[in-house]
Amino acid sequence: MGQREPDTDRMTLGGCPRSIGSFRFWFADQRWEWSDEVAAMHGYSLDAVEPTTELLLSHQYPDDREQVATALAAAIETGEAFCSRHRVVDTSGELHDVIVIGDQMCDQQDAVVGTMGYYLDVTETLEENRREAVDDLLPDLVDARAVIEQAKGIIMFVYGLNAEHAFGVLRWRSQETNIKIRVLSEQLVSDVVAAGGALTQQRTRFDHLLLTIQQRVAPTE
């Protein structure tokens, strides 16, 4: 893996990572060499830190530490290229999602003496993807919530229940029929509209409640 300019790397990788840094690791003396970008991913300036395996592992997210240690041990033992996806916690506690791509580093006799490659910080990309997924899903969630609230309102009016009990009725019917609450709610609202609303007696009573509602509103301070 040659040393390419960062802009070239970004184009090659689709422009996704917000930061790309390089590293080298010599097996014999366990010596690391980080670029400015890799040091920054861990929360350091390059001239203020001497990278070591212990330091590297100490910055791994606890759930990922064993995975990183295993991948590093395998690279030392086999000398093979590797790719790892894990999380780095920098000195300020910020979490970085990184992809590490390592290739063989050979001497002039083509003997494998270490590994070299790149750190790709994809934190921003993943967060954008998460936001896009939420943005795509949110209209459906809002629509589903709205129709469920409408169905709850109908049940509350007809049976004189509170919101919690009305939702319990919907949940019970959902469990009994094995149909999603949203689907049942849509059908109930549609059926009530098609039926022309409440009976005349119920409408008259509702008319009275609606026209006298102000009499029952508690005065504000």
Side-chain angles (χ1 to χ4, degrees):
M1 298 176 64
Q3 297 288 338
R4 292 179 293 182
E5 291 299 321
D7 288 344
T8 304
D9 288 319
R10 288 188 177 88
M11 288 188 291
T12 303
L13 295 160
C16 292
R18 69 175 182 181
S19 181
I20 302 176
S22 61
F23 73 92
R24 294 178 184 235
F25 176 56
W26 285 263
F27 296 152
D29 56 359
Q30 300 281 291
R31 180 165 56 91
W32 286 90
E33 180 182 286
W34 285 352
S35 69
D36 290 330
E37 292 83 2
V38 174
M41 289 177 201
H42 292 78
Y44 302 101
S45 60
L46 189 59
D47 57 359
V49 65
E50 181 179 349
T52 64
T53 300
E54 291 73 20
L55 181 67
L56 181 145
L57 292 177
S58 72
H59 280 280
Q60 305 311 306
Y61 188 74
D63 292 348
D64 299 344
R65 192 168 295 144
E66 183 177 353
Q67 168 202 331
V68 174
T70 300
L72 183 59
I76 295 174
E77 181 179 355
T78 66
E80 295 179 352
F82 69 93
C83 181
S84 175
R85 163 84 177 274
H86 55 271
R87 292 160 291 184
V88 170
V89 183
D90 67 21
T91 55
S92 64
E94 183 180 352
L95 201 63
H96 299 258
D97 287 281
V98 300
I99 297 174
V100 180
I101 302 171
D103 198 4
Q104 295 176 335
M105 183 168 62
C106 302
D107 61 15
Q108 294 180 347
Q109 287 73 43
D110 287 334
V112 178
V113 295
T115 181
M116 60 178 289
Y118 294 93
Y119 270 70
L120 315 177
D121 188 338
V122 295
T123 308
E124 189 173 289
T125 301
L126 293 179
E127 186 59 34
E128 288 175 355
N129 289 343
R130 281 190 285 265
R131 285 198 299 267
E132 288 175 0
V134 171
D135 290 343
D136 289 343
L137 186 60
L138 191 56
D140 291 338
L141 293 176
V142 171
D143 290 344
R145 186 65 183 174
V147 75
I148 290 173
E149 291 298 321
Q150 291 172 356
K152 281 170 53 180
I154 293 170
I155 294 173
M156 289 168 65
F157 173 66
V158 172
Y159 295 116
L161 301 176
N162 61 26
E164 181 180 357
H165 291 159
F167 185 73
V169 171
L170 285 173
R171 185 170 58 238
W172 163 66
R173 292 300 294 142
S174 175
Q175 293 170 346
E176 287 286 314
T177 61
N178 197 29
I179 299 174
K180 291 181 179 180
I181 292 178
R182 176 186 59 80
V183 176
L184 287 179
S185 297
E186 289 175 345
Q187 189 59 52
L188 179 61
V189 172
S190 176
D191 288 344
V192 168
V193 172
L199 298 177
T200 302
Q201 183 179 358
Q202 291 173 319
R203 291 181 186 175
T204 301
R205 186 177 179 185
F206 183 77
D207 288 344
H208 174 73
L209 292 175
L210 179 62
L211 295 175
T212 61
I213 190 171
Q214 74 280 357
Q215 299 173 11
R216 293 179 298 279
V217 175
T220 58
E221 296 182 1

